[in-house]
Amino acid sequence: MENTTTLVIAELTQVHGLASKLAAHLDSPHIDLCRTLARDIIFSIEKAIHTVTSITENPPAYVGSQPAEIPTERGRTNCRKMLPQYSSHVSMSSGTAQGTPNDGRTWRKYGQKSILGAKYPRLVLLLPAFNLQACSEKALTSPKRYRQQTCRAYYRCSHRKTQGCPATKQVQRSDENPAVFDIAYRGTHTCSNPPQQTTAAVMQSCRQENIWPQKTEGINSVLQYPSSSFSFPFAYVGSPSSSFMSSSTLGLKSHHGSAEITAAANDDTKFMDLGILFEVGEMVGDVPFDASAFFI
DNA sequence: GATATTTGACCTCA
DNA sequence: TGAGGTCAAATATC
């Protein structure tokens, strides 16, 4: 519940910031910007409502840190019912050809499964960790079993062996938005592994490598993100300029114990200009953002 | 050789 | 019995 409260508070904080920004621009000629801000406000409110609604309808059996499960003699948990619920979900648009989004932790992939009923089986095209050939061959040879399937990859903390860290995560494409990856985290890190990169360091490297998000031609307009990533917790809440927001949205948010990265784009999306991206954005949260490391 | 990934098999649950 | 989650041997990469 604490996690939910944090999420809702964060959303409300964002709404407050957006509303303030909207008020400041009411008398300006930038009507597109106002529309965008209004849309963001509505989105955040809907999200907060959804968060509260889902927690009411499906109270989690687990939130936050819990001791690692006691494995059986074969190293498996005895009762799946006792497994902790996902402590957080991250949605991230990523068409990078270099793997799943890096969240600052080191993960070891330990499995992959085809998931029935998913809308977007093309996930295998975007995440090289997924075996495209195997999936497609299975789809051809067993059309009934593999029809409309996508792959879900399973990762666990690299420090499970050395430190017994129970954290795991699952990565698959969102059914609701093909441009968004759903990354579900289970358990919390008990390892002492620090985040690999700071936000400023990541952005600095992105700027240097000129690998900021851009449209991927031919793959349903999926935004490409750099293979490097953001460390949590960090926060960026804001809206790109009106010209950009007319065709796409992007937001980065994080909270204690949970985080979310979202991005979406339609087919009209043009290359994102990072200067524009941060033009009307603002940093919130508890991690300092070193703008000097990002802007020349 | 160490480490990471792939993949078929196995286990649990509904 | 099928689906989801995990194991562990085989394989790939550095």
Side-chain angles (χ1 to χ4, degrees):
Chain A
M1 184 61 78
E2 185 181 347
N3 231 6
T4 303
T5 303
T6 305
L7 282 170
V8 173
I9 290 174
E11 286 298 331
L12 292 176
T13 302
Q14 182 181 356
V15 168
H16 180 266
L18 291 169
S20 300
K21 203 174 297 177
L22 176 60
H25 284 83
L26 281 178
D27 296 329
S28 76
H30 301 100
I31 187 66
D32 284 344
L33 175 59
C34 293
R35 288 198 185 100
T36 297
L37 290 169
R39 198 162 51 224
D40 286 352
I41 291 171
I42 294 171
F43 176 79
S44 289
I45 292 174
E46 287 176 346
K47 190 174 175 186
I49 292 172
H50 173 75
T51 301
V52 174
T53 302
S54 60
I55 206 69
T56 302
E57 293 174 351
N58 301 295
Y62 160 81
V63 172
S65 300
Q66 288 282 321
E69 296 132 351
I70 300 173
T72 63
E73 64 276 6
R74 290 197 58 186
R76 301 183 185 195
T77 54
N78 233 348
C79 180
R80 191 167 296 165
K81 276 184 176 178
M82 299 302 290
L83 287 175
Q85 302 293 312
Y86 295 149
S87 58
S88 65
H89 288 260
V90 174
S91 297
M92 183 170 193
S93 173
S94 174
T96 174
Q98 299 177 50
T100 59
N102 183 338
D103 55 12
R105 296 283 182 169
T106 54
W107 299 93
R108 172 79 59 85
K109 184 177 182 179
Y110 66 89
Q112 171 183 309
K113 290 289 288 187
S114 297
I115 304 300
L116 280 170
K119 284 182 181 178
Y120 303 100
R122 63 186 169 78
L123 171 62
V124 295
L125 293 169
L126 302 176
L127 296 181
F130 298 161
N131 189 323
L132 170 62
Q133 185 177 2
C135 285
S136 57
E137 285 177 355
K138 286 177 180 177
L140 290 174
T141 56
S142 306
K144 180 180 177 182
R145 182 182 175 97
Y146 288 92
R147 186 175 53 212
Q148 285 297 306
Q149 289 188 350
T150 187
C151 292
R152 175 182 295 165
Y154 300 89
Y155 298 83
R156 62 176 158 234
C157 180
S158 296
H159 296 77
R160 166 171 282 200
K161 272 191 175 180
T162 56
Q163 300 183 37
C165 180
T168 63
K169 74 173 181 179
Q170 302 174 359
V171 180
Q172 71 178 99
R173 180 173 294 280
S174 167
D175 277 352
E176 296 177 357
N177 186 347
V180 172
F181 289 101
D182 284 339
I183 304 175
Y185 290 85
R186 175 182 285 177
T188 56
H189 286 275
T190 59
C191 60
S192 57
N193 175 37
Q196 293 175 323
Q197 291 177 284
T198 64
T199 308
V202 167
M203 293 183 171
Q204 170 78 4
S205 67
C206 290
R207 180 172 58 82
Q208 289 174 343
E209 297 173 26
N210 191 28
I211 50 175
W212 277 93
Q214 53 186 276
K215 181 180 177 180
T216 299
E217 298 294 342
I219 315 182
N220 285 356
S221 302
V222 174
L223 287 176
Q224 286 192 318
Y225 271 77
S227 59
S228 52
S229 68
F230 304 92
S231 302
F232 298 137
F234 72 91
Y236 163 74
V237 179
S239 305
S241 68
S242 58
S243 59
F244 175 75
M245 286 301 295
S246 63
S247 60
S248 62
T249 62
L250 181 144
L252 307 176
K253 290 165 279 184
S254 86
H255 325 282
H256 294 291
S258 65
E260 176 170 331
I261 303 171
T262 59
N266 62 22
D267 287 340
D268 295 327
T269 303
K270 302 295 186 289
F271 291 103
M272 295 168 71
D273 180 333
L274 196 61
I276 296 176
L277 178 66
F278 283 87
E279 181 181 358
V280 294
E282 67 179 10
M283 299 299 301
V284 299
D286 52 3
V287 172
F289 170 65
D290 184 7
S292 63
F294 187 78
F295 297 106
I296 296 176

